[in-house]
């Protein structure tokens, strides 16, 4: 993953990039940094490009990459399919090669529309005096735009800083709804700056461009030029529901096995395992050479829940047997007082008894406990593999310090309580600094893996969240399928940009197998009732298809764990004011 940036001044005077933003960009691309400035007198403008490369494979390709016509290309992405990149070729070079040969905007769109994989780009066409930019269909890579309230300045950047003066500019995520083109010739003194957008398929009619200053106007290109959506449309069918049944309200693995035997879904399950397996395969091959061969090259954000367990089992298939795999498991320390409170409430509400060890260790949060159980299952399935279960214990002091120093800037411009909790949890998890237990001893471990697999996208596509149950109860399958379509459409602005900024800060690359184009296309063709059956109890009905696949893959008890959101599983949400709502603005992000 790389850090890319461009500062455009529509006067001849150059503008520098803020030092802090430069520093944050360098975290994303620690292996090579380079700046290029372009000036033009007629039309009058000056562009400052800054690119920071994370070297993944092959020989290092510096950016901004320039072709012989002076066009400049900044690429933060991976080609996992679509365009051919031969082994030994570099994707940055290959794509610039294609773009250089483009004669018209429709050629540019056709190239970008073919890429399968995550990307964000900035592409400057010198003769045309224009800048193309945008993010892939799902928005798996971050790109922000910041508009000077003084209309003569704008910035595109992978990451920004909360300390920039909000009175002089507006910073937002670039909506992942299409590819954009700014014609630097087009601005006359009095008019606002025009940004043309070429949407992915049809832009949803209720999409609005929120928060842009009046000095910018977004123009839909009505020439009919669009990008082809890389996935099949979602199957909205809600008829012909198959009935599943389960008598117990606390489902067991046997209930799931019975469903598997009676479901007649074997073929669908095999296809899911194949397509998801291939997605994982593409994301764990051709990895950078590690100085120390005993270090893992791949890490997984790991709660022991079904999404991460399936990723681990599939990764195990494709990663050479002599390489370890790091399982990153994060836990936040409970305060003594909250520990008592929290447990007391549980006992009262649910009548559960609390195992002694929960009360004993302040880091034994729910995800730690399921994580350890998951590790046992993996070790039983693949005993020769070295599984590094990395226990990442975070204290409140460390959380406070790093939130102010790093994390609040990476989350920016998002700002809710949920963004804060998830941002912090993912940042510490992805850093990979923790302990491995070896018998009664604990040994320090720092994950050196540059690739971090995350399970994001499974809940959005397979109805994993409790709000999906609410929706199903109130408006049936029709409501549910609409909710899923809506959530997949907004996953870039809710999660992906943020998670990319957070994980890349460690000089690591987030990869999202559940959001592989082929996986999404496959799941989209299925009717909703094959993916989930929310008439079944928790731990069974949500993500039903994935649970069936887990059984098929040989997994055990983890296949019937109910969904638990990371902020609760890691207990970070418990550290904070329990009365605040997830969607509220988070004061902890701004009071620094
Ligand atoms: C292309 O070069 C960049 C920068 O060196 C590197 O990160 C990337 O992995 C290379 N891509 C391929 C396909 O070799
Ligand atoms: C806008 O930027 C131009 C060029 O740097 C500068 O001359 C002008 O004073 C700025 N205007 C405001 C309102 O900041
Ligand atoms: C749409 O794009 C075409 C090709 O770039 C361009 O000629 C045309 O002016 C654009 N239309 C609008 C409304 O911007
Ligand atoms: C981390 O937390 C676990 C509890 O989940 C505990 O057993 C372990 O000792 C802790 N390690 C350190 C170094 O604090
Ligand atoms: C949607 O699912 C139904 C039921 O399986 C199937 O008959 C139909 O062909 C699917 N539609 C699409 C567009 O895939």
């Amino acid at each position: 993953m790389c850090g890319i940036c461009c500062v455009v001044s529509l006067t001849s005077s150059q503008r520098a990039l803020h030092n802090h933003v430069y520093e944050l960009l360098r975290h994303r691309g620690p292996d090579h940094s380079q700046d290029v400035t372009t000036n033009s007198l007629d039309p009058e403008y000056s562009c400052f490009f800054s690119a920071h490369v994370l070297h993944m494979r092959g020989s290092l390709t510096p950016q901004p990459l320039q072709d012989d016509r002076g066009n400049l290309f900044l690429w933060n992405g991976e080609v996992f399919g679509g365009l051919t990149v031969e082994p030994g070729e570099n994707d940055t070079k290959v794509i610039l090669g294609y773009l250089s040969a483009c004669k018209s905007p429709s050629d540019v769109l056709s190239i970008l529309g073919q890429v399968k994989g995550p990307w964000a780009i900035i592409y400057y066409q010198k003769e045309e005096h224009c800048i193309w930019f945008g993010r892939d269909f799902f928005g798996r890579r971050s790109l922000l735009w910041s508009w000077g309230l003084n209309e003569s300045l704008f910035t595109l950047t992978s990451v920004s800083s909360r300390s920039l003066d909000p009175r002089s500019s507006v910073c937002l995520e670039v909506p992942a709804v299409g590819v954009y083109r700014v014609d630097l010739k087009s601005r006359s003194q009095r008019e606002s700056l025009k940004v043309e957008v070429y949407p992915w398929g049809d832009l949803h009619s209720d999409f609005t461009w929120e928060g842009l200053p009046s000095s910018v106007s977004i123009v839909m290109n009505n020439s009919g030029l669009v990008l082809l959506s890389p996935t099949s449309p979602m199957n909205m069918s809600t008829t012909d529901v198959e009935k599943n049944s389960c008598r117990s309200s606390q489902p067991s693995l046997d209930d799931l096995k019975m469903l598997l035997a009676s479901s007649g879904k074997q073929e669908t399950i095999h296809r899911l395992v194949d397509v998801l397996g291939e997605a994982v395969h593409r994301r764990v091959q051709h990895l950078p050479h590690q100085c120390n061969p005993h270090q893992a090259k791949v890490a997984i954000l790991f709660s022991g829940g079904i999404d991460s367990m399936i990723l681990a089992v599939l990764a195990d298939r494709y990663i050479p047997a002599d390489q370890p795999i790091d399982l990153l498991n994060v836990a936040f320390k409970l305060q003594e007082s909250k520990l008592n409170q929290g447990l007391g409430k549980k006992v009262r509400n649910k009548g559960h008894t609390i195992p002694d060890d929960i009360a004993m260790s302040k880091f034994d949060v729910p995800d730690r406990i399921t994580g350890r159980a998951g590790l046992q299952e993996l070790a039983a399935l693949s005993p020769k593999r070295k599984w590094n279960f990395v226990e990442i214990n975070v204290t409140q002091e460390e959380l406070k310090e790093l939130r102010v120093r790093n994390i609040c800037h990476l989350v920016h411009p998002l700002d809710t309580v949920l963004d804060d909790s998830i941002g912090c949890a993912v940042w510490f998890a992805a850093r990979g600094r923790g302990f491995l237990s070896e018998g009664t001893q604990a040994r320090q471990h720092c994950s050196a893996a540059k690739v971090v697999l995350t399970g994001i996208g499974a809940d959005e596509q397979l109805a994993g969240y409790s709000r999906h149950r609410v929706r199903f109860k109130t408006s049936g399958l029709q409501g549910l399928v609409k909710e899923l379509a809506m959530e997949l459409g907004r996953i870039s602005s809710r999660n992906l940009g943020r998670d990319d900024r957070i994980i890349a800060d460690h000089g690591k690359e987030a990869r999202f197998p559940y959001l592989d184009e082929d996986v999404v296309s496959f799941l989209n063709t299925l009717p909703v009732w094959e993916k989930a059956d929310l008439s079944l109890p928790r731990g069974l009905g949500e993500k039903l298809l994935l649970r069936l696949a887990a059984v098929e893959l040989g997994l055990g008890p983890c296949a019937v764990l109910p969904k638990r959101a990371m902020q609760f599983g890691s207990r970070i949400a418990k550290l904070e004011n329990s009365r605040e709502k997830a969607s509220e603005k988070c004061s902890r992000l701004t009071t620094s």
Side-chain angles (χ1 to χ4, degrees):
M1 187 149 1
C2 305
I4 60 177
C5 175
C6 133
V7 184
V8 180
S9 162
L10 295 165
T11 64
S12 55
S13 72
Q14 242 181 62
R15 290 301 185 92
L17 181 59
H18 192 280
N19 281 342
H20 188 215
V21 178
Y22 197 87
E23 193 50 41
L24 291 170
L25 286 165
R26 268 177 53 95
H27 289 184
R28 298 177 58 96
D31 299 322
H32 186 272
S33 295
Q34 186 173 309
D35 304 330
V36 175
T37 305
T38 310
N39 287 300
S40 163
L41 287 177
D42 181 24
E44 193 177 40
Y45 64 85
S46 155
C47 303
F48 171 82
F49 297 91
S50 185
H52 307 264
V53 176
L54 174 68
H55 184 227
M56 294 301 284
R57 59 169 157 156
S59 54
L60 191 136
T61 306
Q63 295 190 29
L65 194 59
Q66 194 154 12
D67 69 8
D68 47 18
R69 303 204 336 248
N71 300 331
L72 289 166
F73 185 48
L74 292 82
W75 165 253
N76 171 28
E78 292 285 349
V79 178
F80 288 130
L83 285 181
T84 318
V85 180
E86 301 293 345
E89 278 186 328
N90 188 276
D91 49 1
T92 316
K93 283 189 188 142
V94 169
I95 297 175
L96 177 57
Y98 282 117
L99 291 176
S100 297
C102 289
K103 300 262 183 305
S104 67
S106 71
D107 292 346
V108 172
L109 297 177
S110 141
I111 298 302
L112 295 175
Q114 282 172 55
V115 176
K116 287 187 179 177
W119 51 266
I121 58 150
I122 300 172
Y123 176 50
Y124 167 67
Q125 286 181 310
K126 186 170 181 181
E127 279 162 34
E128 290 83 352
H129 298 288
C130 74
I131 294 177
W132 290 85
F133 59 95
R135 306 161 67 190
D136 72 81
F137 183 73
F138 296 115
R140 287 163 290 187
R141 291 290 179 259
S142 169
L143 192 64
L144 309 177
W145 55 20
S146 150
W147 303 101
L149 296 180
N150 181 342
E151 65 189 56
S152 60
L153 191 70
F154 70 91
T155 303
L156 301 166
T157 180
S158 304
V159 61
S160 187
S161 165
R162 201 172 273 282
S163 34
L164 298 193
D165 185 359
R167 284 165 309 184
S168 64
S169 64
V170 175
C171 176
L172 301 161
E173 290 188 330
V174 174
V177 297
V179 168
Y180 303 78
R181 177 172 173 271
V182 187
D183 186 340
L184 301 172
K185 296 189 296 296
S186 68
R187 194 187 68 114
S188 64
Q189 283 309 329
R190 284 199 215 118
E191 270 180 72
S192 54
L193 182 66
K194 260 198 208 118
V195 181
E196 269 177 71
V197 56
Y198 299 90
W200 291 105
D202 289 324
L203 192 53
H204 216 275
S205 53
D206 57 11
F207 185 83
T208 52
W209 303 90
E210 270 162 39
L212 292 179
S214 57
S215 57
V216 186
S217 63
I218 304 281
V219 188
M220 282 304 261
N221 193 293
N222 48 19
S223 60
L225 284 180
V226 293
L227 290 139
L228 283 185
S229 154
T231 62
S232 343
M234 190 174 284
N235 189 329
M236 304 301 276
S237 164
T238 53
T239 53
D240 192 27
V241 186
E242 292 167 26
K243 288 272 177 288
N244 293 303
S245 68
C246 170
R247 267 160 286 137
S248 42
S249 61
Q250 297 253 315
S252 68
L253 190 54
D254 287 337
D255 294 318
L256 189 58
K257 284 183 173 159
M258 257 155 62
L259 276 177
L260 180 62
S262 67
S263 68
K265 289 201 178 108
Q266 294 292 353
E267 202 207 316
T268 310
I269 293 162
H270 286 156
R271 284 174 61 206
L272 174 60
V273 169
D274 286 347
V275 73
L276 190 57
E278 198 38 52
V280 170
H281 188 184
R282 278 195 281 269
R283 285 163 178 74
V284 302
Q285 62 183 356
H286 307 308
L287 296 179
H289 190 69
Q290 217 85 306
C291 311
N292 176 350
H294 304 297
Q295 288 178 331
K297 294 183 175 184
V298 174
I300 302 174
L301 293 190
F302 186 77
S303 65
I306 180 171
D307 309 349
S308 58
M309 284 294 281
I310 287 187
L311 293 184
V313 174
L314 293 173
D316 179 58
R317 286 190 175 177
Y318 301 109
I319 295 175
D322 58 347
Q323 285 176 22
I325 296 177
D326 285 341
L327 305 173
L328 308 177
N329 183 270
V330 66
F332 290 85
K333 184 178 182 174
L334 276 180
Q335 307 297 88
E336 205 72 59
S337 58
K338 301 226 174 172
L339 190 73
N340 296 335
Q341 262 174 28
L343 295 181
K345 207 189 281 166
K346 249 220 181 91
V347 174
R348 278 198 306 280
N349 288 354
K350 301 216 176 125
H352 286 178
T353 49
I354 305 298
D356 283 347
D357 59 349
I358 296 191
M360 271 163 56
S361 170
K362 291 170 195 147
F363 290 109
D364 272 338
V365 301
D367 280 358
R368 180 62 49 83
I369 294 165
T370 51
R372 282 203 195 104
L375 173 68
Q376 303 291 321
E377 287 193 40
L378 292 173
L381 271 179
S382 179
K384 294 222 179 79
R385 165 84 54 198
K386 188 162 187 298
W387 298 100
N388 291 328
F389 182 67
V390 189
E391 302 191 10
I392 297 162
N393 296 351
V394 187
T395 62
Q396 180 129 33
E397 295 70 42
E398 203 182 0
L399 170 63
K400 276 193 175 144
E401 182 191 333
L402 284 149
R403 175 192 280 125
V404 172
R405 193 179 344 138
N406 286 49
I407 304 169
C408 72
H409 302 294
L410 303 168
V411 170
H412 179 67
L414 304 195
D415 60 4
T416 67
V417 166
L418 190 65
D419 293 319
D420 173 57
S421 308
I422 308 249
C424 291
V426 171
W427 191 87
F428 281 101
R431 185 169 69 162
R433 204 181 286 172
F435 297 87
L436 302 180
S437 353
E438 290 171 339
T440 53
Q441 300 283 318
R443 186 165 55 86
Q444 276 199 18
H445 180 84
C446 191
S447 174
K450 279 188 174 176
V451 167
V452 179
L453 299 181
T454 103
I456 194 154
D459 289 311
E460 287 78 1
Q461 295 180 80
L462 290 144
Y465 291 115
S466 50
R467 59 174 179 267
H468 295 141
R469 279 190 185 271
V470 175
R471 191 65 196 265
F472 175 68
K473 263 206 184 114
T474 55
S475 18
L477 275 183
Q478 211 136 32
L480 177 61
V481 74
K482 276 193 194 142
E483 173 79 18
L484 296 181
M486 185 275 285
E487 287 187 11
L488 193 56
R490 70 172 191 197
I491 193 170
S492 63
S493 57
R494 287 294 172 112
N495 307 82
L496 297 176
R498 177 195 66 210
D499 292 353
D500 172 62
R501 290 192 294 279
I502 292 278
I503 295 173
D505 190 51
H506 302 294
K508 300 180 179 186
E509 181 163 297
R511 295 187 176 176
F512 312 104
Y514 291 102
L515 291 172
D516 177 270
E517 284 82 350
D518 296 344
V519 171
V520 175
S521 281
F522 171 69
L523 290 173
N524 273 357
T525 57
L526 300 178
V528 63
W529 69 83
E530 289 211 24
K531 299 186 251 193
D533 180 351
L534 299 184
S535 66
L536 294 175
R538 257 167 64 79
L540 201 58
E542 77 275 17
K543 296 188 279 193
L544 176 62
L545 188 64
L546 209 53
R547 296 179 189 283
L548 296 171
V551 175
E552 189 68 26
L553 286 167
L555 289 169
C558 78
V560 285
L561 286 177
K563 160 72 190 169
R564 190 171 46 227
M566 187 177 198
Q567 67 274 27
F568 303 119
S570 68
R571 282 276 161 86
I572 186 172
K574 267 272 158 61
L575 286 181
E576 313 297 354
N577 175 1
S578 52
R579 277 186 295 273
E580 60 190 14
K581 287 212 187 76
S583 57
E584 262 169 42
K585 272 203 187 347
C586 180
S587 56
R588 290 178 295 284
L589 288 171
T590 50
T591 51
S592 51

